[in-house]
Amino acid sequence: MNKRTRSATGYAAWRLIAEELRGDIAGGALAVGDRLPTEQELSERFGVNRHTVRQAVAALAADGLVESRRGSGTYVLGGGIHLHRLGVRTRMSLSLGDRAEASAVRVLDSAIEAPPADIADALRLRGDRAVRVEGMRTVGGRALVRGTHWFDAERFPDIAAVLRRSRSVTAALRSVGVDDYLRVSTTVSARHATADEAADLALEPGAVVLVARGLDALPDGTPLQLVVARFPAQRVALEIEHGGGLGLA
Amino acid sequence: MNKRTRSATGYAAWRLIAEELRGDIAGGALAVGDRLPTEQELSERFGVNRHTVRQAVAALAADGLVESRRGSGTYVLGGGIHLHRLGVRTRMSLSLGDRAEASAVRVLDSAIEAPPADIADALRLRGDRAVRVEGMRTVGGRALVRGTHWFDAERFPDIAAVLRRSRSVTAALRSVGVDDYLRVSTTVSARHATADEAADLALEPGAVVLVARGLDALPDGTPLQLVVARFPAQRVALEIEHGGGLGLA
DNA sequence: ATATGTTATCTAGATCACTAGACAACTTAT
DNA sequence: ATAAGTTGTCTAGTGATCTAGATAACATAT
């Protein structure tokens, strides 16, 4: 492996190899149950020392993607990717299915403050303040998503307190008279997690997060909330629902 | 900064700092035109040497996110994030707008082969072979997306040749009698780019890719194509269209 | 039972990354 | 005009990472 590459990229050789193998698994080149190429083969493929390959595989093992067995080989373990549904009616319960019982939502922090201009515009604030609620949802004790929710402070001054008492955003909104709402738009991006996000989502620094920034509105079009959700990309994928009753299987 | 963290994570200290700052910019904590905290302030914030901070900022400058000026400071440059629209009728031309003229699509490779089982299932293949077309789209000379397209080999045996002659997938399909098609489902995920993807998309190893795996069908529900598109996450975000005529501004 | 293949662990050396300091060159504030 | 603030560049030392080899322990094939 080109040594200069490492210093130029800021990634240890074994990290690049680990992410390459993760890509092989995610992309289907390696399926659940498959045996990875041997350490010797990987050493030759990547042009590095066998010990460097061992570190890469160890990182994947630590993430639960593979399992090494002495004398036998290294095997791909079952997926474990949670599919989070994202559609016109985005409800966490739709994605969780029978795992909803094991799910917990919790408010980490909240404040009433002037939001960034783009968020103020999107929410069509009556005043100049919004309620910002920092939340976290876990499933089976594992962090699923870290969300920042914004509401119009004039319309929902106590939404933070209500959310603290509720099992979900939807339940909280129902208790302040919002029986239905729709997802108007969502922008999805990806980047490395910040240190705080890594800590909240139980990720190592440098892990990747999927960011979904969505605007929800009442059926009459009035903006309701803007939410920025960060998902750990190694555990969650987004399943986009393209609405409009296509009648497809 | 904790030295042990670096060895445990496989990321150089400056890389973690660079990605943290990239997250600050992407998340709105730093807006276009803002001046970054000084090197001394960042050195204190992250607990590292000023030279380490300089390397992090240099990486962001290399990506066109910031610009340093001696004696003045380091400033956030204009966005440059391309929003790719993703909806029921996903057409590249919708996302490109007036940049369509500067866009080019090209076929890198193609083959007729047995696809992975999940792809065969999704396409409801008549036989056991599919046409795999590896494509690349650039805009203004810059890689926008790297796509792998799968078609039923019995229905579209020559689709690769047709795509080579066309400006877009849509144009190619029209010339084989497909006037309209709809996006049935899309799964979005993110991970580090593989070495090949990094090379194709002009990214450094370790950069993040957004992966959109979508199934398109004819209006009558017959599967048409399955495409796996990889976007450079530092340059592209996905704008999800939630269909169904909500009549919202 | 034995040979071969594969992962696991130990020790050790060479090269790289981060730290550190000093000083230059530019911009901004007074 | 001058002081202070900020980025840019040079040299150099120390600790971490990757390489390397050897050998043990387990699994598989013959």
Side-chain angles (χ1 to χ4, degrees):
Chain A
M1 176 167 275
N2 186 339
K3 295 305 193 301
R4 207 187 63 77
T5 301
R6 183 170 78 79
S7 59
T9 68
Y11 297 90
W14 65 265
R15 170 56 69 187
L16 290 178
I17 293 165
E19 297 311 321
E20 180 87 12
L21 294 174
R22 196 193 299 269
D24 283 352
I25 294 171
L30 288 164
V32 172
D34 278 2
R35 196 180 78 160
L36 263 63
T38 67
E39 292 176 359
Q40 180 62 27
E41 287 170 336
L42 292 173
S43 166
E44 285 163 12
R45 170 179 160 186
F46 292 108
V48 297
N49 193 268
R50 206 185 121 228
H51 295 281
T52 306
V53 165
R54 283 182 59 74
Q55 270 193 271
V57 172
L60 296 180
D63 283 343
L65 259 74
V66 302
E67 176 186 61
S68 290
R69 300 179 201 140
R70 177 188 290 209
S72 179
T74 302
Y75 299 87
V76 179
L77 295 177
I81 297 285
H82 171 83
L83 284 178
H84 175 71
R85 284 212 188 119
L86 198 57
V88 169
R89 283 189 172 78
T90 298
R91 303 294 184 267
M92 187 61 72
S93 57
L94 287 173
S95 302
L96 292 171
D98 57 11
R99 294 208 284 153
E101 284 304 309
S103 171
V105 66
R106 124 167 155 273
V107 172
L108 302 175
D109 187 25
S110 66
I112 295 187
E113 63 194 42
D118 58 331
I119 293 183
D121 286 347
L123 288 175
R124 293 201 234 127
L125 295 183
R126 296 178 184 176
D128 63 349
R129 315 266 275 181
V131 182
R132 173 177 57 81
V133 182
E134 303 290 345
M136 160 81 75
R137 177 180 286 271
T138 58
V139 175
R142 253 184 151 196
L144 180 71
V145 59
R146 172 77 174 79
T148 301
H149 302 255
W150 296 89
F151 299 90
D152 188 319
E154 286 193 12
R155 292 167 57 209
F156 304 102
D158 304 314
I159 190 67
V162 175
L163 278 161
R164 285 188 198 281
R165 297 195 294 268
S166 305
R167 284 181 63 88
S168 70
V169 174
T170 304
L173 290 170
R174 190 171 300 120
S175 73
V176 297
V178 175
D179 288 327
D180 190 28
Y181 59 97
L182 305 163
R183 174 58 58 92
V184 173
S185 66
T186 311
T187 303
V188 176
S189 57
R191 53 172 171 74
H192 287 88
T194 62
D196 286 340
E197 289 165 349
D200 288 335
L201 295 168
L203 296 170
E204 286 195 336
V208 177
V209 290
L210 259 174
V211 182
R213 173 191 160 108
L215 178 66
D216 294 332
L218 299 177
D220 73 1
T222 305
L224 174 64
Q225 77 165 331
L226 190 141
V227 54
V228 181
R230 286 84 96 202
F231 301 90
Q234 68 199 79
R235 300 201 282 277
V236 181
L238 304 178
E239 188 168 30
I240 311 296
E241 290 176 356
H242 300 290
L246 297 176
L248 300 178
Chain B
M1 177 168 275
N2 186 339
K3 293 300 192 303
R4 206 183 65 77
T5 300
R6 180 170 78 81
S7 60
T9 69
Y11 297 90
W14 64 265
R15 172 55 69 188
L16 290 176
I17 293 166
E19 297 312 321
E20 180 89 11
L21 294 174
R22 195 192 300 269
D24 283 351
I25 294 171
L30 288 165
V32 173
D34 277 1
R35 197 182 77 157
L36 263 64
T38 67
E39 293 176 0
Q40 179 63 25
E41 286 168 337
L42 292 173
S43 167
E44 285 163 10
R45 168 179 159 186
F46 291 108
V48 298
N49 193 266
R50 200 185 127 227
H51 294 281
T52 306
V53 165
R54 286 184 54 75
Q55 268 195 272
V57 173
L60 297 179
D63 284 342
L65 256 75
V66 304
E67 176 185 62
S68 290
R69 297 177 204 145
R70 176 186 292 205
S72 179
T74 301
Y75 299 86
V76 179
L77 294 177
I81 297 286
H82 171 83
L83 284 178
H84 176 71
R85 285 214 187 117
L86 197 58
V88 169
R89 284 189 171 78
T90 296
R91 303 292 184 267
M92 187 59 72
S93 58
L94 287 174
S95 301
L96 292 170
D98 57 11
R99 295 208 281 153
E101 284 302 310
S103 171
V105 67
R106 125 169 155 272
V107 172
L108 303 176
D109 187 26
S110 65
I112 295 186
E113 63 195 43
D118 57 332
I119 293 182
D121 286 347
L123 286 175
R124 291 201 236 128
L125 295 183
R126 296 177 184 177
D128 62 349
R129 315 262 277 181
V131 183
R132 172 177 57 81
V133 183
E134 302 291 343
M136 158 84 75
R137 177 180 288 270
T138 56
V139 177
R142 248 182 154 198
L144 180 72
V145 58
R146 172 77 173 79
T148 301
H149 302 254
W150 296 89
F151 299 90
D152 187 319
E154 286 194 12
R155 291 169 55 211
F156 303 102
D158 303 314
I159 190 65
V162 175
L163 279 160
R164 285 188 197 281
R165 298 194 295 266
S166 305
R167 284 180 63 88
S168 70
V169 174
T170 304
L173 290 171
R174 189 171 300 117
S175 73
V176 296
V178 175
D179 288 326
D180 189 29
Y181 60 98
L182 305 162
R183 174 58 56 93
V184 172
S185 65
T186 311
T187 304
V188 177
S189 57
R191 55 174 171 73
H192 287 86
T194 65
D196 286 340
E197 289 166 349
D200 288 335
L201 294 168
L203 297 168
E204 287 195 335
V208 177
V209 289
L210 258 175
V211 182
R213 173 187 159 115
L215 178 67
D216 294 332
L218 300 177
D220 72 0
T222 304
L224 174 64
Q225 77 165 329
L226 190 139
V227 54
V228 181
R230 286 85 97 200
F231 301 90
Q234 66 198 82
R235 298 200 283 276
V236 181
L238 304 178
E239 188 168 32
I240 311 297
E241 291 177 354
H242 301 290
L246 296 177
L248 301 177

